[in-house]
């Protein structure tokens, strides 16, 4: 931080739905250390920072739509002075009725954007004529990203009204655009830099911008650097989370457990604005099939408006919610037919046999990976043997019950907005032979900088230590997409490779002429450039090329081929390819208290040809545990006022080290290069493994079901908190008594 930095803080609403009768900021203005106070009227340019459509006021003016919304902001000479001052406002509200959950939003017929429907075949006919059918409801909760580093930005005013922003954001280009619009200046006058984030998990795809914009308004006004960092409780309350979902379904199936038709309505709880909810609910709809062929299907996606903070991206981006909805249906079918859930799953897998290979949005599944992957995992995890043991254990034990479950995942890779699937890179070679790399992707702990540096090192056949990856900056690579949709290395890796290829070609062209040697005799090998029979250190050829006036700097660019989606007809090929994985989880529950532990987890994940196995395994372990947290102990609770009660680690329980499965085996599916021409035939890994956490939830469900000999479906929504598990156990015990 520069030495004369001011500290900004936001004044937050204490009502969830209201009109503001009066806002008295006198006490704020006269508080100790306060230098500047701003309201909506002090914003020089754009006042609404909605990323896709308006709906997200930077500072709200006359109305409040969630508890924790920004009413004003204050800048002071210390962080504590700013925070204290921000609490001194006197606000009078005219309270309005608030819809705090999906049910209330639906009752009020309140949506942030229109319903979208994907349909294939004659659904009603298929379900009505199926041998069996079921209908039901299902709900899954939201989730806080809980990045270790909270939201934070520093705005530094520069000459000629320019602005430099350091921010913890997945989306520097969007930050640049919004800061420029809010300040009323050209995009080219704003530079956003992201060195790295202490975690993001989707929570900084759009929700980092507001804090950068507020800091920038103060910086422009006071001509001093301004930092805004949210305290954890306010970060919880005032930034978006994973969308909670509710679904209503009707499914027809045969006695083998094969699905004939599925009719499902998905309701995403969007909070007070659209933000990214259109794409998120779409992704849930795209994943309603998971790995299963649905002969006839209708899926409707509703974007429910509630008076809570606008929900946003969270690892999986709606995909996990869609997959969980169908996995619950599969479990219901398994209970109804009495067939092992794994068998039901396998029988429904996509396959080329009988043309059971087209999704409900008309993309053909070209590579059938899930079947061999699940077969392998079934063997390596000893699934059937252990299941037998568990059944026996459950007969012998009345209080403690064990459960086991395998769930598969198919996850579509690409932004579903076609234009976002592009990336750029900038590569310099200096005359000492060192290489400086820059690309549009941001580092949040997922290892992207390392992977892309490896790709460049491999292209030049030099040691990784020769490459320095500089901070992501909008003045180095412009107009970038957020680092999201798991596509960071796919997109930026390809762009960096493109830049490297250009420089290699220039060096080869030069060497060919300079040494009068055919191209075929020139190669890059282990820090050397081989020309005919001679071997030169890489840096020697670089120096030589420089003296012969060869440009040693290049940009790289990539756009994903083949993808499109026509939202009118709800068909297309939205995904370049799919990433697959499966997990087997084993649990033990205490049926008298509802407590449980996840004892053992075995995972097999398809990452194509891994760019970095250590990073990939780290992503798989972390993703699984985060998904397990979503479906077990992480529960968001709101008070009746709309205040978030679970706003810190004491009241919101993410998995801790001690919750890690004591046996945790992760394998990368061997010998499975991506058949699409991705970067070195690798596959994305960031989000898909989160969805494997579903196996923890289904394992708990399996353990509960043992109480009534697996004949009755436990009533279990997500998250399966100990309280929910206990209630489900009690319910099954009473059904057994009947
Ligand atoms: N891993 C860590 N350690 N921290 C994070 O914030 N974000 C996840 C995933 N893995 C995240 C993470 C999310 S939501 C996405 S989309 C991807 O990383 C983004 O990075 P990638 O595209 O480079 O995989
Ligand atoms: N995934 C993640 N982030 C996104 C997407 C997506 O499909 N679309 C827009 N932002
Ligand atoms: Mo990840 S939810 O696409 O940032």
């Amino acid at each position: 931080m520069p030495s004369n930095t001011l500290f900004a803080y936001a004044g937050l609403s204490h009502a969830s739905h209201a009109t503001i009768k009066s806002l008295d900021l006198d006490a704020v203005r006269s508080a100790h250390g306060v230098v500047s106070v701003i309201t909506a009227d002090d914003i020089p340019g754009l006042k609404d920072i909605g990323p896709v459509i308006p709906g997200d006021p930077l500072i709200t003016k006359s109305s409040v739509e969630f508890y924790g919304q920004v009413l004003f902001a204050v800048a002071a000479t210390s962080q504590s002075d700013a925070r204290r001052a921000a609490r001194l406002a006197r606000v009078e509200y005219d309270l309005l009725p608030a819809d705090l959950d999906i049910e209330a939003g639906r009752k009020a017929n309140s949506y942030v954007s229109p319903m979208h429907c994907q349909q294939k075949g004659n659904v009603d006919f298929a379900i009505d004529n199926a041998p069996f059918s079921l209908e039901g409801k299902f709900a899954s909760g939201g989730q806080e990203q809980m990045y270790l580093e909270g939201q934070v930005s520093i705005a530094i005013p520069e000459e000629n009204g320019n602005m430099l922003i350091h921010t913890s954001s997945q989306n520097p280009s969007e930050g640049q655009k919004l800061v420029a619009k809010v300040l009323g200046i050209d995009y080219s006058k704003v530079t956003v830099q992201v060195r790295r984030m202490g975690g993001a998990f989707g929570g900084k795809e759009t929700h980092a911008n507001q804090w950068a914009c507020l800091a920038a308004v103060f910086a422009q006004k006071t001509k001093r650097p301004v930092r805004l960092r949210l305290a954890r409780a306010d970060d919880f309350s005032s930034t978006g989370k994973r969308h909670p979902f509710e679904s209503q379904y009707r499914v027809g199936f045969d006695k083998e457990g094969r699905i004939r038709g599925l009719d499902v309505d998905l309701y995403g709880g969007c909070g007070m604005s659209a933000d990214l909810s259109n794409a998120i609910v779409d992704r849930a709809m795209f994943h309603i099939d998971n790995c299963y062929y649905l002969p006839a299907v209708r899926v409707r996606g509703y974007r429910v408006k509630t008076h809570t903070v606008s929900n946003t991206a969270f690892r999986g981006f709606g995909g996990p919610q869609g997959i969980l909805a169908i996995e619950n249906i599969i479990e219901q079918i398994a209970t109804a037919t009495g067939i092992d859930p794994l068998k039901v799953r396998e029988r429904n897998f996509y396959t080329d046999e009988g043309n059971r290979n087209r999704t409900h949005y008309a993309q053909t599944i070209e590579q059938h990976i899930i079947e061999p992957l699940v077969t392998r995992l079934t063997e390596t995890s000893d699934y059937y043997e252990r299941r037998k043991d568990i059944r026996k254990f459950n007969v012998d034990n009345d209080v403690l019950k064990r459960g086991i479950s395998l769930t598969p995942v198919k996850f579509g890779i690409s932004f579903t907005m076609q234009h976002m699937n592009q990336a750029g890179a900038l590569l310099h070679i200096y005359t000492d032979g060192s290489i400086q790399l820059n690309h549009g992707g941001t580092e949040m702990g997922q290892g992207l900088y390392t992977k892309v540096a490896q790709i460049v090192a491999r292209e030049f056949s030099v040691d990784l230590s020769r490459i320095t990856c500089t901070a992501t900056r909008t003045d180095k690579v412009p107009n970038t997409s957020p680092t999201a949709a798991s596509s960071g290395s796919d997109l930026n890796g390809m762009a960096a490779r493109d830049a490297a290829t250009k420089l290699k070609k220039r060096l080869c062209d030069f060497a060919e002429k300079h040494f009068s040697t055919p191209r075929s005799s020139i190669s890059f090998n282990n820090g050397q450039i081989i020309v005919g029979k001679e071997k030169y250190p890489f840096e020697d050829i670089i120096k030589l090329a420089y003296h012969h006036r060869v440009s040693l700097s290049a940009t790289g660019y990539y756009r994903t081929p083949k993808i499109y989606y026509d939202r009118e007809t709800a068909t297309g090929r939205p995904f370049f390819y799919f990433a697959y994985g499966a997990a087997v989880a084993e649990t033990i529950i205490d049926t008298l208290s509802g407590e449980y532990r996840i004892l053992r987890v075995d995972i097999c994940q398809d990452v194509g040809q891994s760019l970095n196995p250590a990073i990939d395994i780290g992503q798989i372990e972390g993703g699984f545990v985060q998904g397990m947290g979503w479906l077990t102990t992480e529960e968001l609770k709101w008070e009746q006022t709309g205040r978030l009660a679970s706003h810190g680690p004491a009241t919101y329980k993410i998995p801790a080290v001690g919750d890690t499965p004591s046996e945790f085996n992760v394998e990368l599916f061997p010998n499975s290069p991506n058949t699409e021409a991705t970067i070195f035939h690798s596959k994305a890994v960031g989000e898909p493994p989160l969805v494997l956490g579903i196996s923890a939830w289904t394992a708990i469900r399996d353990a509960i079901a043992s109480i009534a000999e697996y004949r009755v479906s436990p009533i279990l929504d997500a998250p399966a908190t100990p309280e929910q598990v206990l209630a489900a156990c009690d319910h099954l015990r009473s059904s057994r008594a009947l």
Side-chain angles (χ1 to χ4, degrees):
M1 266 191 302
S3 56
N4 57 341
T5 300
L6 291 175
F7 298 80
Y9 213 81
L12 306 172
S13 72
H14 287 200
S16 52
H17 191 202
T19 49
I20 300 171
K21 256 170 49 186
S22 68
L23 177 65
D24 176 357
L25 299 175
D26 287 351
V28 182
R29 287 203 173 85
S30 57
H32 183 259
V34 168
V35 174
S36 179
V37 177
I38 57 168
T39 64
D41 293 332
D42 301 304
I43 302 169
L46 185 75
K47 293 185 199 294
D48 191 307
I49 57 166
V52 184
I53 55 173
D56 298 292
L58 175 58
I59 300 177
T60 190
K61 192 167 167 167
S62 51
S63 69
V64 166
E65 296 225 89
F66 71 97
Y67 199 111
Q69 190 165 18
V70 177
L71 304 176
F72 65 95
V74 50
T77 46
S78 77
Q79 172 83 359
S80 52
D81 279 347
R83 278 186 73 187
R84 266 190 215 110
R87 292 195 197 130
L88 299 177
R90 294 183 44 186
V91 194
E92 283 184 299
Y93 302 100
D94 262 336
L95 294 183
L96 297 165
D99 305 322
L100 295 180
D101 56 24
I102 295 175
E103 205 184 318
R106 280 176 64 185
K107 270 203 196 112
N109 211 7
S110 183
Y111 298 93
V112 295
S113 62
M115 186 271 285
H116 178 54
C117 179
Q118 297 170 332
Q119 177 154 11
K120 176 178 104 173
N122 191 337
V123 182
D124 298 316
F125 181 86
I127 298 173
D128 293 341
N129 290 282
F132 303 95
S133 69
L134 273 174
E135 55 181 62
K137 284 204 296 197
F138 181 69
S140 60
Q143 187 181 20
E144 160 62 35
Q145 290 85 0
M146 198 102 175
Y147 25 64
L148 290 183
E149 175 199 50
Q151 304 278 358
V152 57
S153 286
I154 306 180
I156 302 172
E158 297 189 319
E159 61 181 15
N160 296 330
N162 290 6
M163 195 63 72
L164 171 64
I165 310 281
H166 294 267
T167 178
S168 186
S169 166
Q170 292 170 255
N171 204 344
S173 286
E174 176 88 358
Q176 174 199 26
K177 176 181 110 182
L178 287 174
V179 165
K181 285 187 166 184
V182 164
L183 298 183
I185 60 180
D186 287 348
Y187 295 5
S188 59
K189 286 184 174 294
V190 178
T191 300
V192 173
Q193 167 166 338
V194 180
R195 173 68 260 191
R196 65 177 70 76
M197 286 162 274
F201 305 108
K204 297 168 181 173
E205 182 171 338
T206 55
H207 282 227
N209 295 325
Q210 188 171 17
W211 323 110
C213 289
L214 289 174
V217 172
F218 279 123
Q220 190 188 49
K221 199 161 174 255
T222 62
K223 301 194 164 43
R224 285 172 70 173
V226 178
R227 186 179 85 155
L228 198 162
R229 178 172 71 78
L230 288 182
R232 182 62 64 173
D234 292 334
D235 196 308
F236 257 80
S237 305
S238 301
T239 68
K241 306 163 199 325
R242 182 186 296 288
H243 290 55
F245 264 70
E246 287 184 9
S247 56
Q248 258 170 313
Y249 63 87
R250 214 156 68 87
V251 61
F253 52 98
D254 63 22
K255 69 175 195 307
E256 246 64 271
R258 269 192 201 90
I259 295 173
R260 295 275 180 90
L262 174 67
D263 186 8
V264 55
D265 291 344
L266 295 175
Y267 296 89
C270 300
M272 50 71 76
S273 74
D275 183 70
L276 300 171
S277 294
N278 266 338
I280 288 166
V281 176
D282 274 4
R283 188 169 276 270
M285 297 166 67
F286 281 124
H287 286 77
I288 196 66
D289 57 338
N290 193 18
C291 300
Y292 313 119
Y293 174 70
L294 304 171
V297 56
R298 176 171 54 228
V299 51
R300 295 194 187 97
Y302 295 87
R303 285 88 175 145
V304 181
K305 173 170 173 163
T306 53
H307 297 105
T308 52
V309 64
S310 189
N311 285 319
T312 190
F314 191 144
R315 206 170 191 173
F317 204 77
Q321 292 96 316
I323 293 175
L324 182 62
I326 181 90
E327 288 303 330
N328 173 61
I329 291 167
I330 293 274
E331 293 280 313
Q332 304 293 335
I333 294 173
T335 307
T337 54
I339 303 169
D340 180 341
L342 175 53
K343 289 259 153 59
V344 176
R345 291 188 163 94
E346 287 179 318
R347 285 173 189 166
N348 282 288
F349 281 164
Y350 280 108
T351 165
D352 287 336
E353 263 169 59
N355 286 323
R356 293 168 62 91
N357 59 7
R358 260 161 86 91
T359 67
H360 51 294
Y361 46 90
Q363 175 159 357
T364 301
I365 306 295
E366 290 165 0
Q367 223 192 337
H368 296 286
I369 292 177
I370 198 61
E371 196 182 326
L373 188 151
V374 163
T375 302
R376 184 182 173 89
L377 182 66
T378 308
E379 283 160 20
T380 56
S381 69
D382 224 2
Y383 173 83
Y384 284 109
E385 212 35 54
R386 285 164 61 206
R387 189 166 187 270
K388 233 192 287 164
D389 294 347
I390 286 169
R391 295 275 153 134
K392 180 160 183 314
F393 175 93
N394 289 340
V395 170
D396 297 343
N397 289 272
D398 226 25
V399 174
L400 298 180
K401 299 285 184 185
R402 283 159 64 194
I404 189 168
S405 177
L406 183 152
T407 57
V409 170
K410 164 179 128 290
F411 195 87
I413 302 300
S414 292
F415 287 99
T416 54
M417 285 289 271
Q418 190 196 43
H419 76 268
M420 294 176 82
N421 296 283
Q422 56 175 321
L426 178 63
L427 203 57
H428 307 312
I429 309 178
Y430 294 94
T431 50
D432 63 352
S434 66
I435 299 170
Q436 200 183 72
L437 161 67
N438 193 277
H439 55 78
T442 55
E443 178 61 52
M444 57 193 101
Q446 86 279 39
L448 177 65
Y449 278 15
T450 304
K451 282 185 171 179
V452 180
Q454 281 182 284
I455 288 160
V456 172
R458 177 162 157 182
E459 277 304 316
F460 289 114
S461 190
V462 296
D463 197 79
L464 191 59
S465 62
R466 215 183 259 273
I467 294 161
T468 296
C469 186
T470 53
T472 311
R473 277 178 69 112
T474 54
D475 59 356
K476 288 212 169 189
V477 177
N479 311 324
T480 57
S481 291
T483 309
S486 302
S487 60
S489 45
D490 284 24
L491 298 175
N492 297 286
M494 276 297 209
R497 188 182 182 210
D498 180 46
T501 309
K502 283 180 190 162
L503 287 178
K504 254 173 90 173
K505 181 170 181 302
R506 271 183 226 158
L507 290 169
C508 288
D509 287 347
F510 161 70
E512 192 178 349
K513 247 167 72 193
H514 184 79
F515 296 104
S516 310
T517 181
R519 173 67 59 111
S520 58
S521 74
I522 306 168
S523 63
F524 291 67
N525 189 357
N526 230 340
Q528 294 179 319
I529 297 179
I530 300 171
V531 183
K533 288 197 175 56
E534 296 295 323
K535 290 180 179 167
Y536 301 92
F538 181 77
E539 57 273 23
D540 288 6
I541 298 290
I542 295 299
K543 257 186 219 104
L544 203 61
Y546 167 74
H547 279 126
H548 288 81
R549 297 189 295 175
V550 175
S551 161
L552 295 171
S553 173
T555 59
Y557 181 78
Y558 176 72
R559 60 168 170 262
T560 313
K562 294 188 180 179
I563 46 175
Y564 64 95
Y565 180 62
D566 178 359
R567 212 157 178 270
E568 270 314 296
T569 60
T571 57
R573 184 207 167 110
F575 304 116
F576 189 29
Y577 63 89
F578 296 95
Y580 293 90
V584 176
E586 180 179 338
T587 183
I588 186 160
I589 66 170
D590 181 334
T591 59
L592 297 181
S593 71
E595 289 167 288
Y596 48 77
R597 300 198 62 80
I598 307 300
L599 298 173
R600 174 175 164 183
V601 171
D602 296 75
I603 292 174
C604 187
Q605 180 72 30
D606 157 41
V607 295
Q609 207 137 273
S610 177
L611 289 172
N612 184 318
I615 289 175
D616 287 353
I617 289 170
Q619 284 292 296
I620 295 163
E621 291 174 346
F624 176 88
V625 170
Q626 199 167 36
M628 178 182 92
W630 168 45
L631 299 174
T632 55
T633 58
E634 294 184 38
E635 189 177 32
L636 294 164
K637 285 268 192 192
W638 279 268
E639 293 168 1
Q640 289 202 329
T641 54
R643 176 177 174 270
L644 182 65
S646 51
H647 59 36
T651 44
Y652 183 78
K653 168 96 179 71
I654 64 168
V657 174
D659 299 307
T660 313
S662 37
E663 191 175 344
F664 200 173
N665 304 311
V666 175
E667 185 191 45
L668 305 179
F669 190 49
N671 308 319
S672 179
N674 196 338
T675 49
E676 296 296 344
T678 52
I679 182 73
F680 301 138
H681 296 280
S682 63
K683 281 194 179 181
V685 70
E687 295 168 289
L690 178 134
V691 193
L692 298 173
I694 292 175
S695 62
W697 182 82
T698 48
I700 290 171
R701 195 183 172 278
D702 184 58
I704 300 170
S706 72
I707 295 175
E709 287 84 39
Y710 306 95
R711 282 196 294 265
V712 185
S713 229
I715 299 171
L716 191 68
D717 283 337
T721 59
E723 292 88 338
Q724 294 297 326
V725 171
L726 183 59
C729 289
D730 285 348
H731 169 252
L732 281 208
R733 259 194 223 100
S734 53
S735 72
R736 187 176 59 177
L738 301 175

